[in-house]
């Protein structure tokens, strides 16, 4: 039974409940309880009855009796009313691993067995719940017998049930889970059923603080509590949801920067509250960092008491000078800020938003309207964007011809990794095997079920399980990204439900489609699944299913919105320890870095590193170069603006030159090759005969001279036909005949004939309308030639001019 696959419980958890991970509080430790208040006689009788067998006469039991007596003798000399009070007052809890030095002070040189007796006596006190040491003390001791005796004395039935449920896990993971639950019971008291989500958070924090990060990340103990119903249904499904910081409110974001001016703090809270709906959570926090820390908090530090957005030129100039450099803790400049102008854009937008909003809500925003201290030319990023575009285009032009080499490299790495791990699994521990010219020696089987070998030539230990996983996911990532051009976050959000079967309405053919979930533009889109892409996705599904009927349901963490998704059958997921986890962006990048290093693809002697977004630029460039219209490429990539798509396309200059030369050559072949000359009689007669051949039944053909009929004399369809209104009855007869033929074709199911007749009928209908329009035009009226009167344009001469 898998505690990480409880589907019923998973469906009961709402996404908003996961965001409450930071609100769980641990149980408050009791100051006194009945075991710690027992008298010495009652306590000794109870502990010896639990942990010793008087009739057996074991040496271990004798040691426990002596150790318990010595330890109680020492604790009775400490101040306090309970054994817990005396333990804390003695300083032993703070002493950690060296706590045995305290009872032995003043006894000269201690014998070696004295410390062992004291430790054995403390096992009885802790397992018998007489004292409850702190987590730092428990994690430093890590005494196995103490944990075992506690499980046997405190809640044996619950621990046995949990151990049976964890049989599917490795011995290391199972022991780790039981130890963590035992630590919680020791520290908080009570039974396993009393453990809360806050207790799990508190223990995990203690493990991280004491550098047990590997143990802190093992989630089996939490999964066991979740499956057995100890934790409430509203608790997150995964321990990771408790360890990762969730969304923060706008007030929490602003208050984290310690702004002293309360009115400005309230203004920023209102500003970010109004802007939050249009931004993802990461972008909101990035803008808050700019306005709160880099802008206003910096002004408060250097100009104490400032309380207005109206900055003097001197103050604004000094702030810009400080912003231009990255500074250390002492305020000294380290290097220039690369995105200096971009940071200014946020501040300028802040001033402009307030001024614009003041027109709609003057009572709220008008008091804060002030001249913007940043001019428009200071935010100009045209040159910077042009440099970035040029650099990205050059990178794409370099990578595009090298893509086949990368594909061969990832395919070879995947097959080699599979061959190595397959050969290693069939080789006993200590045996040697040879794969691709490399000799390996199989190491002993690890408890984590991972396959380790030693490379004989280099003498280094290698984790073949990790190598095979990384090689497979590198291959899958490269193939999916290059075939689809989707973003990495969209690829990681693909689920088994993303496949859609689309049936063509005409032929009934089923076409597989891939539904890409909303990402950056919040717009879903469908992509055609090619046979090559289908083969890759089939391999991914087969691997993730691992022989099961369905893909595991896992929750993914959205780094942009800082929320957890509901459990879904994500395609890109893998087994991590005792639970299934979706792949993360960082893991994909690590796999591609390792692939880039092993592929050994260099440019000018430097190794070329491949990144997930490179394949998106390559996809767009290759698609447009191959003749795909840019607006179709924009739809495939999910771009809202065509300029964004063209910004991705790195068209080679030689492509422009070659296409221009081909255009010129095509124009030359279509133009006459001879110069103009006098026409011969034969040519003139042919010219006149051409116009005689243009007369047809429905009118006159308007095709160019010396050009054949392009429509095979289908005059009804031809747009060059100049219709004659006198032939309207003939065209009406043709149209009626077409109606009868269409009915016959539909009855017999001649779909091709139906399409052809419908096209002809549409053209005939258009020409009938043209005939009616020409018939409705008024006839031409001959006005004749005008007479010219004798005095027209003349004048009488002046007498004085003669």
């Amino acid at each position: 039974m898998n505690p990480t696959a409880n589907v019923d419980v998973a469906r009961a958890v709402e996404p908003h409940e996961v965001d409450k991970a930071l609100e769980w509080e641990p149980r408050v430790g009791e100051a006194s309880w009945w075991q710690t208040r027992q008298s010495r006689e009652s306590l000794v009788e109870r502990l010896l009855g639990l942990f010793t067998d008087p009739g057996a006469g074991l040496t271990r039991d004798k040691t426990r009796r002596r150790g318990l007596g010595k330890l109680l003798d020492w604790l009775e000399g400490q101040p306090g009313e309970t054994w817990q009070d005396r333990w804390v007052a003695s300083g032993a809890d703070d002493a950690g691993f060296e706590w045995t030095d305290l009872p032995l002070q003043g006894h000269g040189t201690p014998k070696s067995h004295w410390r062992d007796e004291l430790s054995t006596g403390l096992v009885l006190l802790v397992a018998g719940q007489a004292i409850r040491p702190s987590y730092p003390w428990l994690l430093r001791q890590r005494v196995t017998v103490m944990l075992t005796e506690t499980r046997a004395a405190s809640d044996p039935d619950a621990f046995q049930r949990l151990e049976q449920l964890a049989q599917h896990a490795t011995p290391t993971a199972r022991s780790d889970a039981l130890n963590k639950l035992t630590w919680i019971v020791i520290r908080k008291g009570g039974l396993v059923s009393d453990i809360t989500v806050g207790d799990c958070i508190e223990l995990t924090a203690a493990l991280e603080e004491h550098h047990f990060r590997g143990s802190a990340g093992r989630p089996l103990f939490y999964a066991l509590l979740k499956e057995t119903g100890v934790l409430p249904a509203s608790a997150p499904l995964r321990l990771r949801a408790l360890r990762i910081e969730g969304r923060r409110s706008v007030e929490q974001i602003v208050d984290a920067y310690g702004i002293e001016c309360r009115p400005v703090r309230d203004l920023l809270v209102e500003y970010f509250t109004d802007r939050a709906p249009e931004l993802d959570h990461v972008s909101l926090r990035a803008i808050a960092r700019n306005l709160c820390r880099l802008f206003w908090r910096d002004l408060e530090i250097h100009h104490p008491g400032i309380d207005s957005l109206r900055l003097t030129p001197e103050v604004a100039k000094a702030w810009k000078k400080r912003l231009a450099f990255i500074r250390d803790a002492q305020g000294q400049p380290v290097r220039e800020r690369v995105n200096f102008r971009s940071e200014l854009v946020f501040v300028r937008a802040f001033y402009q938003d307030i001024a614009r909003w003041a027109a709609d809500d003057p009572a709220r925003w008008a008091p804060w309207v002030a001249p913007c201290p940043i001019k428009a030319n200071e935010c100009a990023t045209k040159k910077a964007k042009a440099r970035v575009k040029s650099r990205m285009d050059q990178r794409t032009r370099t990578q595009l011809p090298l893509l086949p080499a990368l594909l061969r490299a990832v395919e070879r790495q995947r097959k080699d990794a599979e061959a190595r791990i397959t050969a290693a699994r069939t080789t006993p521990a200590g045996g040697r095997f040879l794969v691709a010219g490399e000799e390996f020696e199989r190491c002993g089987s690890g408890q984590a079920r991972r396959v380790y070998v030693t490379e004989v030539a280099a003498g280094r230990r290698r984790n073949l399980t990790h190598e095979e996983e990384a090689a497979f996911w590198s291959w899958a990532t490269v193939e999916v990204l290059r075939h689809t051009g989707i973003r990495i976050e969209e690829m990681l959000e693909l689920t088994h439900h993303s496949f859609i079967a689309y049936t063509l309405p005409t032929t009934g053919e089923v076409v597989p489609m891939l539904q890409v979930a909303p990402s950056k533009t919040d717009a879903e889109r469908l992509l055609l699944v090619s046979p090559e892409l289908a083969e890759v996705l089939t391999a991914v599904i087969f691997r993730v299913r691992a022989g099961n009927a369905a893909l595991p349901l896992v929750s993914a963490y959205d780094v942009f919105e800082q929320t957890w998704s509901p459990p879904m059958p994500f395609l890109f997921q893998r087994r991590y320890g005792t639970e299934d986890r979706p792949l993360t962006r960082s893991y994909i990048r690590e796999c591609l870095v390792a692939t880039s290093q092993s592929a050994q693809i260099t440019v000018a002697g430097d190794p070329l590193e491949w990144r997930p977004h490179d394949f998106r630029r390559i996809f767009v460039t290759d698609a447009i170069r191959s003749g795909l219209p840019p607006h179709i490429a924009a739809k495939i990539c999910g771009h809202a603006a065509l300029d964004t798509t063209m910004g991705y396309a790195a068209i080679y200059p030689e492509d422009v030159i070659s296409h221009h030369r081909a255009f010129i050559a095509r124009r030359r072949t279509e133009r006459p090759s001879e110069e103009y000359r006098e026409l011969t009689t034969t040519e003139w007669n042919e010219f006149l005969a051409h116009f005689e051949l243009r007369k047809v039944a429905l009118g006159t053909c308007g095709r160019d001279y010396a050009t054949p009929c392009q429509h095979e004399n289908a005059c009804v369809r031809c747009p060059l036909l100049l219709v004659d209104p006198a032939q309207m009855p003939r065209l009406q007869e043709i149209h009626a005949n077409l109606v009868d033929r269409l009915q016959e074709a539909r009855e017999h199911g001649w779909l091709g004939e139906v399409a052809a007749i419908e096209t002809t009928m549409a053209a005939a209908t258009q020409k009938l309308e043209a005939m009616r329009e020409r018939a409705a035009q008024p006839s031409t009226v001959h006005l004749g030639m005008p007479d010219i009167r004798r005095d027209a344009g003349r004048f009488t001469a002046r007498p004085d001019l003669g």
Side-chain angles (χ1 to χ4, degrees):
M1 192 171 183
N2 188 353
T4 62
N6 192 338
V7 179
D8 296 334
V9 177
R11 293 174 180 171
V13 179
E14 297 295 333
H16 69 274
E17 293 173 337
V18 179
D19 298 334
K20 298 181 180 180
L22 296 179
E23 299 180 7
W24 302 98
E25 295 293 338
R27 287 179 292 167
V28 179
E30 297 177 281
S32 177
W33 56 97
W34 71 270
Q35 293 98 327
T36 194
R37 292 193 300 267
Q38 282 187 299
S39 64
R40 175 167 179 164
E41 293 74 14
S42 301
L43 179 63
V44 171
E45 181 181 359
R46 184 175 64 87
L47 296 182
L48 293 180
L50 284 173
F51 303 111
T52 64
D53 185 1
L58 298 177
T59 305
R60 182 201 66 177
D61 294 344
K62 296 178 181 178
T63 304
R64 290 185 173 185
R65 292 191 188 96
R66 289 196 302 269
L68 179 61
K70 292 180 180 180
L71 187 59
L72 293 179
D73 290 341
W74 173 65
L75 288 176
E76 283 184 328
Q78 307 299 324
E81 297 182 356
T82 64
W83 298 108
Q84 176 69 15
D85 294 339
R86 300 181 184 109
W87 167 260
V88 175
S90 68
D93 197 82
D94 297 329
F97 192 76
E98 293 78 17
W99 72 272
T100 54
D101 293 340
L102 300 178
L104 298 176
Q105 290 178 356
H107 292 78
T109 304
K111 297 181 180 180
S112 58
H113 64 275
W114 288 0
R115 296 182 185 275
D116 297 335
E117 291 176 350
L118 289 173
S119 299
T120 303
L122 186 61
V123 167
L124 304 188
L125 288 180
V126 173
Q129 286 288 306
I131 61 173
R132 296 175 181 175
S134 62
Y135 280 132
W137 188 91
L138 289 171
L139 298 180
R140 288 176 186 147
Q141 306 302 314
R142 302 175 73 87
V143 180
T144 304
V145 66
M146 180 186 298
L147 302 176
T148 304
E149 296 291 359
T150 301
R151 288 194 286 269
S154 299
D155 199 353
D157 294 337
F159 280 108
Q160 288 178 5
R161 184 170 63 255
L162 293 173
E163 187 173 5
Q164 292 175 357
L165 290 175
Q167 287 300 318
H168 72 283
T170 62
T172 301
R174 184 165 59 249
S175 175
D176 176 82
L178 294 176
N179 289 345
K180 289 178 179 177
L181 296 174
T182 309
W183 284 329
I184 296 177
V185 170
I186 291 175
R187 181 69 186 109
K188 296 297 184 179
L191 305 176
V192 173
S193 58
D194 298 325
I195 297 177
T196 66
V197 177
D199 295 339
C200 299
I201 298 175
E202 185 181 29
L203 174 63
T204 303
L207 289 168
E208 291 178 343
E209 183 180 354
H210 288 81
H211 310 292
F212 298 138
R213 292 185 175 86
S215 177
R218 293 181 184 142
L220 181 58
F221 82 102
Y222 184 88
L224 292 173
L225 294 175
K226 185 68 177 175
E227 184 186 8
T228 54
V230 173
L231 302 181
S234 59
L237 286 177
R238 299 288 184 265
L239 177 64
R240 295 181 66 237
L242 302 174
R243 303 178 63 202
I244 298 178
E245 180 183 2
R247 292 173 65 99
R248 306 181 66 186
S249 65
V250 174
E251 291 80 2
Q252 291 174 330
I253 295 174
V254 175
D255 291 340
Y257 296 101
I259 295 177
E260 297 177 355
C261 181
R262 189 69 183 182
V264 174
R265 178 263 181 197
D266 296 339
L267 170 67
L268 291 171
V269 169
E270 292 187 36
Y271 176 75
F272 292 129
T273 302
D274 282 12
R275 292 210 57 188
E278 65 184 18
L279 299 171
D280 58 63
H281 197 67
V282 171
S283 299
L284 179 66
R285 296 184 67 167
I287 299 176
R289 165 190 167 273
N290 178 283
L291 296 180
C292 296
R293 184 170 73 87
L294 298 182
F295 174 58
W296 188 255
R297 184 56 187 154
D298 181 84
L299 291 175
E300 286 186 337
I301 294 174
H302 294 86
H303 304 279
I306 187 172
D307 59 357
S308 173
L309 297 181
R310 189 177 297 273
L311 307 182
T312 64
E314 295 78 12
V315 172
K317 183 178 180 180
W319 168 72
K320 296 174 191 175
K321 186 176 180 180
R322 294 191 299 271
L323 183 66
F325 291 89
I326 301 291
R327 301 177 181 273
D328 56 18
Q330 288 73 33
Q332 300 300 321
V334 177
R335 63 180 184 276
E336 291 186 0
R337 192 182 298 273
V338 177
N339 58 340
F340 168 65
R341 293 183 180 273
S342 300
E343 303 290 1
L344 294 178
V345 169
F346 292 118
V347 179
R348 179 175 172 82
F350 173 60
Y351 275 83
Q352 291 179 336
D353 288 341
I354 292 178
R356 186 173 63 255
W357 296 348
D360 298 331
D361 192 356
R364 183 181 180 188
W365 302 105
W368 293 100
V369 175
C372 181
I374 303 171
K375 299 180 180 178
N377 58 357
E378 294 179 299
C379 301
T381 58
K382 182 177 181 181
K383 291 184 178 179
K385 292 181 178 179
R387 286 193 295 266
V388 172
K389 166 67 174 169
S390 177
R391 187 167 63 251
M392 292 298 100
D393 286 353
Q394 182 60 36
R395 180 178 178 85
T396 303
R397 293 167 184 158
T398 302
Q399 291 177 326
L400 188 57
L402 299 176
L403 182 60
L406 176 67
L407 299 180
R408 291 192 298 269
V410 294
E411 180 68 21
R412 184 181 64 255
Q413 292 171 17
R414 181 174 72 97
K415 292 182 177 179
D416 291 346
E418 289 178 355
R420 284 193 296 267
I421 196 170
T422 301
R425 285 171 176 164
T426 58
T427 303
R432 294 191 177 188
F433 60 94
L434 193 66
V435 175
E438 294 180 315
E439 187 177 8
F440 302 93
E441 180 179 342
R442 175 68 190 273
C443 300
S445 298
Q447 292 183 341
R449 298 174 184 171
R450 292 184 171 269
V451 179
Y452 291 92
V453 298
T454 300
E455 188 177 347
V456 176
R460 63 188 180 99
R461 182 184 175 94
R462 293 172 60 174
N463 185 346
L464 296 188
T465 303
H466 174 75
E467 292 181 5
E468 192 275 335
E469 285 184 350
F472 176 84
W473 291 116
S474 294
W475 168 78
T477 298
V478 171
E479 291 291 339
V480 171
L481 291 181
R482 81 176 183 94
H483 282 299
T484 61
I486 59 179
R487 305 176 181 91
I488 180 175
E489 58 268 21
E490 294 172 338
M491 181 191 72
L492 297 179
E493 291 175 359
L494 293 177
T495 68
H496 208 176
H497 304 309
S498 299
F499 294 98
I500 297 177
Y502 176 72
T503 304
L504 295 178
T506 55
T507 62
E509 180 184 358
V510 178
V511 179
M513 306 290 289
L514 189 66
Q515 184 180 21
V516 180
S519 176
K520 193 173 183 179
T521 58
D522 288 336
E524 290 185 341
R525 62 188 190 276
L526 292 176
L527 304 179
L528 182 65
V529 177
S530 62
E532 296 82 1
L533 178 60
E535 182 179 356
V536 176
L537 296 177
T538 301
V540 171
I541 294 174
F542 180 80
R543 181 186 184 89
V544 175
R545 282 175 52 187
N548 298 319
L551 273 67
L553 301 179
V554 295
S555 297
Y557 181 72
D558 189 338
V559 296
F560 296 103
E561 295 294 344
Q562 295 186 342
T563 57
W564 289 86
S565 71
M568 300 179 67
F570 289 102
L571 296 184
F572 283 77
Q573 60 171 287
R574 66 188 181 109
R575 191 71 177 175
Y576 188 88
T578 58
E579 66 179 1
D580 297 296
R581 291 186 183 179
L583 300 188
T584 60
R585 297 156 60 95
S586 59
Y587 179 77
I588 294 296
R589 290 194 181 96
E590 291 175 3
C591 292
L592 290 182
V593 168
T595 298
S596 302
Q597 294 174 352
S598 59
Q600 297 181 352
I601 300 176
T602 59
V603 177
D606 298 327
L608 181 61
E609 180 178 335
W610 298 79
R611 302 166 188 164
H613 215 65
D614 293 335
F615 300 99
R616 185 169 173 84
R617 297 188 183 93
I618 292 174
F619 176 85
V620 176
T621 301
D622 186 57
I624 296 180
R625 286 184 58 196
S626 301
L628 185 69
H631 68 283
I632 301 298
K635 291 294 184 181
I636 294 176
C637 295
H639 289 153
L642 187 60
D643 291 342
T644 306
T645 306
M646 298 309 297
Y648 276 76
I651 305 300
Y652 287 80
E654 51 264 30
D655 292 342
V656 178
I657 297 173
S658 60
H659 282 78
H660 190 199
R661 294 181 64 181
F663 168 75
I664 295 175
R666 186 169 60 255
R667 287 284 303 273
R668 287 176 178 173
T669 57
E670 294 176 353
R671 296 182 62 181
S673 58
E674 299 177 356
E675 297 293 337
Y676 290 105
R677 55 178 175 77
E678 294 294 332
L679 295 177
T680 63
T681 303
T682 303
E683 292 173 339
W684 179 250
N685 293 333
E686 291 178 354
F687 177 75
L688 296 179
H690 164 77
F691 293 97
E692 295 177 357
L693 295 175
R694 292 190 352 179
K695 184 63 178 177
V696 294
L698 298 177
T700 305
C701 180
R703 69 177 184 270
D704 295 337
Y705 170 71
T707 58
C709 180
Q710 299 291 336
H711 303 89
E712 301 179 356
N713 300 312
C715 299
V716 177
R717 297 186 183 184
C718 183
L720 298 179
L721 175 65
L722 304 177
V723 294
D724 184 4
Q727 301 299 326
M728 185 181 298
R730 180 184 299 274
L731 187 56
Q732 291 175 343
E733 181 180 354
I734 294 174
H735 187 273
N737 187 27
L738 289 174
V739 172
D740 297 338
R741 291 177 56 194
L742 179 61
Q743 181 65 25
E744 180 184 6
R746 287 176 175 172
E747 292 176 354
H748 290 81
W750 301 332
L751 299 184
E753 189 71 16
V754 169
I757 294 174
E758 288 178 345
T759 303
T760 306
M761 287 182 60
T765 302
Q766 181 182 3
K767 287 179 172 52
L768 282 173
E769 294 177 357
M771 286 181 176
R772 295 188 182 97
E773 291 177 359
R774 293 191 61 181
Q777 292 179 358
S779 58
T780 304
V781 178
H782 180 66
L783 300 178
M785 294 296 294
D787 289 337
I788 300 178
R789 299 189 300 273
R790 292 181 179 181
D791 57 353
R794 300 175 182 272
F795 62 92
T796 304
R798 291 172 55 184
D800 57 345
L801 295 178

